[in-house]
Amino acid sequence: MTNIPDRVPLANLPTKIEKLERLSAQLGGPSLFIKRDDQTGTEFSGNKVRKLEYSLKEALAAGHDYVITCGGIQSNHCRSTAAAAAKLGLKSYLVLRGNEPQEPDGNLLLDHLLGAQIRYITAEEYRERRAEIMESVKDKLTGQGYKPYIIPEGASNGIGSFGYYTALREIVEQEKELGVHFDAIVVAVGSGGTYAGLLLASKTLHYKADIIGINVCDDEYYFRHVIDSILQDSGRYLQEDIAYAKQDFHIIDGYVGQGYGISSPEVRQFIFDFAKLEGVILDPVYTGKALFGLVEEIKKGRFNDLHNILFIHTGGLFGLFPQKHEFINPN
Ligand SMILES: *Cc1c(COP(=O)(O)O)cnc(C)c1O
């Protein structure tokens, strides 16, 4: 494909793929593997930096000097953006949902260290008017002589989606090295860009694996719409339509629990058990819920006809610390 946009290298790539020997044996189903996108970097850690490699290349190429984005107080995306901006000598401005806490913790502490400007807005403002608010920040900064570039929530737009196009190409190379083929690739879905990028790549590279998302907020219907519009935006860069069939779209709904950012006792117990079993720490907002969901589906026999499944660990470690009280006693 010739029209893939350029990227600015930021992440530690390729990330490792490891077999989850003990969990696979315990479940007696398909072999489970994990791709360590939690190890894309320390400050960058997680999936967002792959998208930012494309967003920020676009920003740099057009001469922008300030990056504006938005998310929750503990947004991994905002922290990655603040880190990437600092690394590239750009300024960053974060519009965060929630009240300013007395002491910054987790990702928010790192946002401060990385020099991000922060504005706190209410949940309602965030839901109804975050795009407008980011535009007003842009106007203000423009008035001060800056040239700001807005990145939407999660960098989940057309340009950002190429981050996981590149990730799938990396996976194809690693399959050759490892001598395995993955029948399914599974990922947590929060703002849809990671899933959209994987689907885009699987279609354009004619890659034969089921791309499965497990949503951690909203529902399947919502994400159908979101992912569709991200892919239309990706198509603008490729200057072609991305053709995919309804059955290519595979979101497993049912593991949101009480809502975004709220983990159940079962998920917290699973995070404990998995850490002890495999030496890998999951986060309570995304990967803990998603891998818990995958394991539950395997137990139900849903993937009995598959040989190898790859779960992408999309990071989120810093988000564990502000929820530490929930983990003193998981029940
Ligand atoms: C943002 C995020 C996701 C979800 O990715 P989207 O592209 O927003 O769907 C998954 N895991 C972690 C740790 C994240 O921060």
Side-chain angles (χ1 to χ4, degrees):
M1 186 146 307
T2 50
N3 291 325
I4 301 298
D6 292 333
R7 54 184 267 268
V8 52
L10 291 167
N12 254 325
L13 302 179
T15 57
K16 280 193 293 185
I17 292 180
E18 301 165 344
K19 187 167 178 193
L20 297 171
E21 296 279 0
R22 287 172 293 277
L23 181 62
S24 304
Q26 219 175 58
L27 293 169
S31 293
L32 287 175
F33 294 79
I34 191 164
K35 184 165 174 63
R36 303 299 303 272
D37 276 12
D38 55 321
Q39 297 180 353
T40 48
T42 301
E43 297 82 1
F44 299 143
S45 166
N47 60 338
K48 300 305 179 315
V49 65
R50 286 187 183 269
K51 309 181 197 188
L52 292 167
E53 289 191 331
Y54 286 91
S55 317
L56 293 175
K57 177 70 190 188
E58 185 175 79
L60 289 171
H64 292 278
D65 52 12
Y66 222 120
V67 189
I68 305 168
T69 195
C70 65
I73 287 236
Q74 284 300 327
S75 167
N76 299 305
H77 162 68
C78 289
R79 180 258 310 150
S80 284
T81 302
K87 190 82 184 178
L88 295 170
L90 307 173
K91 289 179 168 291
S92 63
Y93 195 112
L94 309 175
V95 175
L96 300 180
R97 177 185 59 228
N99 296 319
E100 180 171 6
Q102 296 225 305
E103 311 182 334
D105 193 359
N107 285 300
L108 183 63
L109 174 62
L110 302 186
D111 296 342
H112 281 290
L113 292 175
L114 291 161
Q117 293 281 346
I118 298 174
R119 172 163 165 199
Y120 297 90
I121 63 173
T122 66
E124 192 191 332
E125 284 173 319
Y126 190 88
R127 203 172 49 241
E128 311 285 335
R129 311 179 28 234
R130 64 175 178 270
E132 230 176 280
I133 291 170
M134 285 196 290
E135 284 296 336
S136 71
V137 170
K138 182 180 170 179
D139 291 345
K140 191 183 83 179
L141 295 173
T142 304
Q144 294 169 8
Y146 292 107
K147 194 171 178 206
Y149 176 85
I150 296 179
I151 299 176
E153 182 185 66
S156 287
N157 58 357
I159 190 72
S161 73
F162 292 103
Y164 274 81
Y165 172 89
T166 303
L168 191 75
R169 285 186 42 173
E170 194 176 299
I171 292 167
V172 171
E173 285 304 308
Q174 288 175 305
E175 281 187 324
K176 289 182 205 151
E177 285 160 27
L178 296 167
V180 291
H181 172 68
F182 301 114
D183 305 300
I185 297 177
V186 181
V187 73
V189 175
S191 62
T194 302
Y195 186 90
L198 291 169
L199 191 60
L200 165 76
S202 80
K203 290 285 104 187
T204 52
L205 301 170
H206 307 287
Y207 180 73
K208 301 239 172 321
D210 199 3
I211 308 294
I212 301 173
I214 299 180
N215 57 305
V216 302
C217 54
D218 301 287
D219 60 20
E220 185 193 350
Y221 175 81
Y222 171 81
F223 281 113
R224 228 172 234 288
H225 174 76
V226 167
I227 288 161
D228 212 67
S229 62
I230 295 171
L231 287 176
Q232 279 184 30
D233 194 21
S234 318
R236 283 200 306 123
Y237 289 89
L238 297 178
Q239 294 174 350
E240 61 182 83
D241 282 341
I242 296 146
Y244 69 99
K246 265 212 159 71
Q247 59 268 25
D248 296 329
F249 185 85
H250 196 167
I251 298 274
I252 299 176
D253 201 344
Y255 296 97
V256 175
Q258 299 276 311
Y260 176 77
I262 308 166
S263 57
S264 64
E266 291 77 22
V267 167
R268 293 197 291 271
Q269 186 62 54
F270 176 75
I271 292 173
F272 264 96
D273 295 343
F274 184 70
K276 196 164 62 184
L277 186 69
E278 293 285 358
V280 178
I281 311 283
L282 301 168
D283 82 293
V285 181
Y286 298 94
T287 55
K289 271 187 191 175
L291 189 58
F292 173 76
L294 174 60
V295 164
E296 290 300 299
E297 295 295 314
I298 289 171
K299 286 184 189 161
K300 287 186 203 159
R302 180 164 182 161
F303 299 120
N304 280 349
D305 53 338
L306 304 187
H307 298 290
N308 299 305
I309 298 180
L310 178 66
F311 178 77
I312 304 182
H313 189 330
T314 42
L317 180 63
F318 300 121
L320 194 57
F321 296 94
Q323 292 199 19
K324 54 186 170 283
H325 305 104
E326 306 271 16
F327 282 86
I328 293 165
N329 176 353
N331 298 307

PDB file of all heavy atoms in Angstrom, residues 60 63 116 144 278 317:
ATOM      1  N   LEU A  60       3.820  17.854  13.162  1.00  0.00           N
ATOM      2  CA  LEU A  60       5.161  18.404  12.921  1.00  0.00           C
ATOM      3  C   LEU A  60       5.307  18.856  11.470  1.00  0.00           C
ATOM      4  O   LEU A  60       5.855  19.929  11.198  1.00  0.00           O
ATOM      5  CB  LEU A  60       6.243  17.348  13.225  1.00  0.00           C
ATOM      6  CG  LEU A  60       6.457  16.990  14.702  1.00  0.00           C
ATOM      7  CD1 LEU A  60       7.383  15.780  14.824  1.00  0.00           C
ATOM      8  CD2 LEU A  60       7.025  18.176  15.472  1.00  0.00           C
ATOM      9  N   GLY A  63       3.976  22.163  10.889  1.00  0.00           N
ATOM     10  CA  GLY A  63       4.571  23.258  11.662  1.00  0.00           C
ATOM     11  C   GLY A  63       3.861  23.607  12.958  1.00  0.00           C
ATOM     12  O   GLY A  63       4.007  24.712  13.470  1.00  0.00           O
ATOM     13  N   ALA A 116       2.558  19.397  31.145  1.00  0.00           N
ATOM     14  CA  ALA A 116       1.303  19.675  30.433  1.00  0.00           C
ATOM     15  C   ALA A 116       0.523  20.791  31.139  1.00  0.00           C
ATOM     16  O   ALA A 116       0.503  20.867  32.362  1.00  0.00           O
ATOM     17  CB  ALA A 116       0.448  18.415  30.379  1.00  0.00           C
ATOM     18  N   GLN A 144      -2.198  33.762  21.421  1.00  0.00           N
ATOM     19  CA  GLN A 144      -0.898  33.970  22.091  1.00  0.00           C
ATOM     20  C   GLN A 144       0.275  33.713  21.145  1.00  0.00           C
ATOM     21  O   GLN A 144       1.431  33.697  21.573  1.00  0.00           O
ATOM     22  CB  GLN A 144      -0.797  33.051  23.317  1.00  0.00           C
ATOM     23  CG  GLN A 144      -1.792  33.404  24.420  1.00  0.00           C
ATOM     24  CD  GLN A 144      -1.861  32.323  25.510  1.00  0.00           C
ATOM     25  OE1 GLN A 144      -1.070  31.388  25.529  1.00  0.00           O
ATOM     26  NE2 GLN A 144      -2.827  32.449  26.398  1.00  0.00           N
ATOM     27  N   GLU A 278       1.334 -15.506  35.836  1.00  0.00           N
ATOM     28  CA  GLU A 278       2.144 -15.247  34.642  1.00  0.00           C
ATOM     29  C   GLU A 278       3.178 -14.129  34.828  1.00  0.00           C
ATOM     30  O   GLU A 278       3.962 -13.859  33.919  1.00  0.00           O
ATOM     31  CB  GLU A 278       1.226 -14.885  33.456  1.00  0.00           C
ATOM     32  CG  GLU A 278       0.334 -16.035  32.986  1.00  0.00           C
ATOM     33  CD  GLU A 278       1.091 -17.112  32.187  1.00  0.00           C
ATOM     34  OE1 GLU A 278       2.298 -16.971  31.963  1.00  0.00           O
ATOM     35  OE2 GLU A 278       0.429 -18.095  31.799  1.00  0.00           O
ATOM     36  N   LEU A 317      -0.814   0.584  33.165  1.00  0.00           N
ATOM     37  CA  LEU A 317      -0.284   0.295  34.499  1.00  0.00           C
ATOM     38  C   LEU A 317      -0.445   1.462  35.474  1.00  0.00           C
ATOM     39  O   LEU A 317      -0.825   1.268  36.626  1.00  0.00           O
ATOM     40  CB  LEU A 317       1.199  -0.098  34.392  1.00  0.00           C
ATOM     41  CG  LEU A 317       1.904  -0.436  35.705  1.00  0.00           C
ATOM     42  CD1 LEU A 317       1.290  -1.660  36.364  1.00  0.00           C
ATOM     43  CD2 LEU A 317       3.395  -0.663  35.468  1.00  0.00           C
TER      44      LEU A 317
END
